[in-house]
Amino acid sequence: MLDLSHKRLIAWQKSIELLPQLYALCQKLPPDEKYNLVSQIKRAGISVCNNLAEGSARKSKTEKNSFFEVARSSVVEIDNLLVAFLAVKYLNEEDIKEVDRRNIELFKLISRLIDSNNK
């Protein structure tokens, strides 16, 4: 694998660490949600790390921020899906506790990354 700068970003590392937890959470969802909610949360999780990687490869601040903003938006999408899982009673608070904690941490890290890039 390439030794690229995004792999040194704590936000990217945390986004990769979140993936197995998202996938494990999907195992608790009903099988009939395989092509809807399961697919959506997996894509959102991959979107976070992909956009952090691609953004870090860009040279201009504007381009970097564009990708970092999309990554942060995907974190918000994950948050909204967790709320939806609770609303439809597919999962309970205990089921999502650790994923939620890591997702909040990731939101803060990406926000700081965007702030830092704007300086």
Side-chain angles (χ1 to χ4, degrees), residues 47-74 110 113-114 117:
S47 174
V48 176
C49 49
N50 280 348
N51 281 289
L52 288 170
E54 193 164 350
S56 69
R58 300 299 173 136
K59 293 192 185 291
S60 79
K61 284 184 178 186
T62 303
E63 282 186 303
K64 282 182 185 294
N65 272 352
S66 178
F67 284 96
F68 295 161
E69 289 283 353
V70 171
R72 186 169 60 179
S73 294
S74 293
I110 296 171
L113 182 61
I114 292 166
N117 191 53

Side-chain angles (χ1 to χ4, degrees), residues 7-67:
K7 293 177 183 174
R8 292 186 286 281
L9 288 176
I10 294 171
W12 180 84
Q13 294 167 7
K14 295 291 184 180
S15 71
I16 292 294
E17 291 172 8
L18 180 62
L19 286 177
Q21 292 189 319
L22 288 175
Y23 278 61
L25 201 62
C26 289
Q27 297 299 316
K28 296 179 179 185
L29 296 173
D32 62 323
E33 288 295 349
K34 181 178 179 183
Y35 298 108
N36 188 19
L37 295 176
V38 169
S39 174
Q40 201 160 354
I41 199 163
K42 285 180 177 181
R43 282 184 285 117
I46 293 292
S47 174
V48 176
C49 49
N50 280 348
N51 281 289
L52 288 170
E54 193 164 350
S56 69
R58 300 299 173 136
K59 293 192 185 291
S60 79
K61 284 184 178 186
T62 303
E63 282 186 303
K64 282 182 185 294
N65 272 352
S66 178
F67 284 96

